[in-house]
Amino acid sequence: MTTTDSTVPISVLIPAKNEEANLPACLASVARADEVFVVDSQSSDRSIEIAENAGAKVVQFYFNGRWPKKKNWSLENLPFRNEWVLIVDCDERIPPALWDEIATAINDPNYEGYYINRRVYFLGKWIRHGGKYPDWNLRLFKHQKGRYENLGTEGIPNTGDNEVHEHVILKGLVGYLKADMDHIDFRDIYHWLARHNRYSNWEARVYLNMLTGHDESGTIGANLFGDAVQRKRFLRKVWVWMPFKPTLRFIIFYFIQFGFLDGKAGYIYGRLLSQYEYQIGVKLYELRKFGGQLNPEVETSDVSSPKSPATSGVSPKP
């Protein structure tokens, strides 16, 4: 990357696939980093060209449909030349104030990592209410000390090759930075819906694991008295048992957590979250009905007519 007198000795990891709309602003925001890796998944747009022109190191990741996914693979395999790594998604930006704080924080010998708060923008507006802020993520840490948790979602197709909602498990003391990072997706609602269609596959499996008492070793765990992420995980384990979740999610977001204060963008966001919750519920039903599979292949004995294409099923490839 382009260096300046204020270059910060950390390595940035950016997972990417067909992100030509978001990459220029993202890369510009991390220009103070000593080193930037863009880990790509065979993009068919200009993502690779944009990354290379910005001075980033581009590495290709080939997903085999199983664990590990892209971020953990990168933490295990990339030749980072710095002790500290900062993980940034393509639709995220690191403002100057956060860089200044990072430059100081990594010199504190007491901490192995830091949570960073995130401001989510939707339809050009910061969604400040509805439980979307604060939104803590462990993104800055010593790369040898942290790995993403495995929530046991292998085998669920069409969830993507990148860890999205998994959290980092870190050995050592973790702090909290004051300055925020920004989540600003330059793509449209079509891409938001497509992305959350993938996410709902993943979420449905996580819900099923919670309902069936899946082994939680290798995860951050759920703890009402733990850190911000563990508390959220605890509330999630309660939430999964609640009835009427799509309606409840809108009521909680829009009324109880004051999402209405974010205007039209807040209303639309709340309605989309309610729809997202319904998708998760439908896919959870599908998983339970078909023994933990989504869209299973239909057996011949179940087909009323061999000439009826409406009753034939095809198993999707991961």
Side-chain angles (χ1 to χ4, degrees):
M1 292 299 291
T2 302
T3 60
T4 68
D5 292 338
S6 58
T7 296
V8 182
I10 67 170
S11 299
V12 170
L13 166 60
I14 303 174
K17 181 177 182 178
N18 293 332
E19 289 281 1
E20 65 180 5
N22 285 315
L23 263 176
C26 178
L27 289 166
S29 79
V30 299
R32 286 182 62 180
D34 170 64
E35 176 180 56
V36 175
F37 282 96
V38 172
V39 183
D40 182 67
S41 299
Q42 300 80 61
S43 289
S44 58
D45 64 1
R46 295 180 56 250
S47 293
I48 298 174
E49 174 188 350
I50 291 169
E52 291 178 340
N53 288 342
K57 301 175 182 179
V58 178
V59 176
Q60 289 296 325
F61 171 66
Y62 297 89
F63 186 45
N64 63 6
R66 298 183 297 276
W67 190 262
K69 288 193 173 184
K70 188 184 294 184
K71 291 175 184 175
N72 256 14
W73 179 89
S74 300
L75 290 170
E76 290 285 349
N77 292 281
L78 294 184
F80 299 116
R81 69 179 177 222
N82 297 289
E83 182 180 29
W84 287 83
V85 64
L86 174 66
I87 298 181
V88 183
D89 290 336
C90 291
D91 52 10
E92 294 173 339
R93 320 282 179 258
I94 308 299
L98 180 54
W99 272 117
D100 292 339
E101 190 175 4
I102 289 172
T104 300
I106 61 176
N107 291 315
D108 190 329
N110 296 312
Y111 294 97
E112 309 295 336
Y114 293 93
Y115 280 102
I116 299 176
N117 204 0
R118 187 171 67 165
R119 294 180 293 202
V120 175
Y121 287 80
F122 179 74
L123 293 177
K125 183 177 180 60
W126 174 19
I127 304 300
R128 189 170 184 171
H129 305 90
K132 296 304 294 181
Y133 186 87
D135 181 22
W136 293 103
N137 292 268
L138 183 54
R139 297 296 192 84
L140 176 66
F141 55 94
K142 295 178 180 178
H143 69 83
Q144 293 182 340
K145 300 292 184 70
R147 293 293 182 269
Y148 280 85
E149 63 182 341
N150 184 351
L151 293 177
T153 58
E154 298 92 331
I156 299 300
N158 302 318
T159 59
D161 65 355
N162 187 35
E163 298 90 342
V164 177
H165 296 134
E166 290 91 344
H167 293 283
V168 173
I169 301 174
L170 189 70
K171 298 177 181 178
L173 186 62
V174 180
Y176 290 79
L177 300 185
K178 296 179 180 178
D180 296 334
M181 67 191 301
D182 293 323
H183 180 284
I184 307 173
D185 194 340
F186 290 160
R187 295 178 300 180
D188 52 23
I189 297 295
Y190 172 89
H191 288 93
W192 193 99
L193 292 169
R195 185 168 68 248
H196 282 76
N197 187 29
R198 296 197 308 272
Y199 292 172
S200 60
N201 278 18
W202 183 91
E203 296 270 16
R205 181 69 217 193
V206 171
Y207 276 26
L208 181 62
N209 289 346
M210 289 181 176
L211 290 170
T212 56
H214 188 270
D215 181 15
E216 292 187 348
S217 60
T219 76
I220 60 167
N223 186 352
L224 181 60
F225 304 103
D227 61 30
V229 176
Q230 290 174 317
R231 290 195 299 271
K232 185 179 290 187
R233 183 65 56 80
F234 176 85
L235 294 174
R236 189 181 183 85
K237 293 188 73 171
V238 175
W239 170 258
V240 75
W241 292 96
M242 299 292 289
F244 311 115
K245 283 191 284 293
T247 301
L248 280 176
R249 186 153 191 185
F250 178 78
I251 291 173
I252 293 171
F253 174 91
Y254 196 69
F255 294 107
I256 297 176
Q257 295 179 316
F258 306 109
F260 64 87
L261 293 177
D262 290 320
K264 185 68 172 181
Y267 175 77
I268 294 172
Y269 199 88
R271 289 294 301 269
L272 287 175
L273 288 179
S274 176
Q275 174 182 314
Y276 177 54
E277 196 66 53
Y278 181 75
Q279 286 181 299
I280 297 170
V282 171
K283 292 177 179 179
L284 174 61
Y285 171 78
E286 186 179 23
L287 285 171
R288 302 182 88 167
K289 181 178 176 63
F290 296 108
Q293 299 182 57
L294 288 172
N295 193 23
E297 186 173 353
V298 177
E299 296 181 3
T300 305
S301 60
D302 293 332
V303 180
S304 58
S305 170
K307 297 181 180 181
S308 175
T311 56
S312 63
V314 178
S315 297
K317 297 180 179 179

